[in-house]
Amino acid sequence: MEEPEQDIREKLEVRIQDSKENDFIEIELHRQELSYQNLLRVSCSELGILPEQVEKIRKLPNTLLRKDKDIQRLQDFQEIEVLLVKSASSERTPHTASPRTETRCYNSNAAKMTY
């Protein structure tokens, strides 16, 4: 039985680049909600990171995602990597994902990348 068209979901796999935890987490976004901001929001929430920590979002192996059209071209089970902003403390200690929190994700720097 097929899903109704308004309920079609895209399944993506996300992880943090160079994290101690190398596994991907599977996320789902409604097809009509595929946008850079929604991907950023859901990824941050699932990975337990703050949006201010996100420098870039990359489709593996080597494609930078910058705008809504890039996100809309993603296919089911596409592997996505979140690159975190480098800081003096993060270079010494690799990030480990914390449990999922319900914090609202918004990164003004990431938002400027979309057009």
Side-chain angles (χ1 to χ4, degrees):
M1 184 173 174
E2 289 187 35
E3 296 180 73
E5 190 157 329
Q6 71 273 13
D7 199 34
I8 295 177
R9 295 173 185 246
E10 198 73 28
K11 295 159 193 73
L12 303 170
E13 297 180 350
V14 296
R15 73 175 179 193
I16 299 171
Q17 179 195 35
D18 296 333
S19 172
K20 282 197 251 183
E21 181 60 59
N22 201 28
D23 294 332
F24 287 90
I25 294 174
E26 194 173 292
I27 63 170
E28 288 187 1
L29 292 171
H30 286 282
R31 193 70 163 119
Q32 68 269 21
E33 294 176 354
L34 280 177
S35 69
Y36 186 90
Q37 287 301 318
N38 281 336
L39 177 62
L40 178 66
R41 179 183 55 80
V42 172
S43 297
C44 286
S45 177
E46 291 291 331
L47 293 169
I49 58 175
L50 297 173
E52 293 79 21
Q53 294 175 282
V54 176
E55 181 179 346
K56 299 176 186 176
I57 300 176
R58 176 188 295 145
K59 176 179 80 170
L60 293 179
N62 60 1
T63 304
L64 185 64
L65 299 174
R66 304 173 296 129
K67 52 189 174 180
D68 290 348
K69 284 190 177 191
D70 297 339
I71 308 305
Q72 292 164 0
R73 285 192 291 264
L74 295 174
Q75 299 176 2
D76 267 349
F77 301 104
Q78 188 80 57
E79 294 180 343
I80 307 295
E81 209 167 53
V82 175
L83 288 73
L84 301 181
V85 176
K86 298 262 190 237
S87 69
S89 61
S90 70
E91 289 176 10
R92 289 190 297 262
T93 350
H95 177 79
T96 55
S98 57
R100 181 177 173 206
T101 59
E102 293 297 326
T103 52
R104 189 175 170 105
C105 291
Y106 181 76
N107 182 353
S108 59
N109 293 331
K112 292 176 188 172
M113 294 181 68
T114 63
Y115 53 91

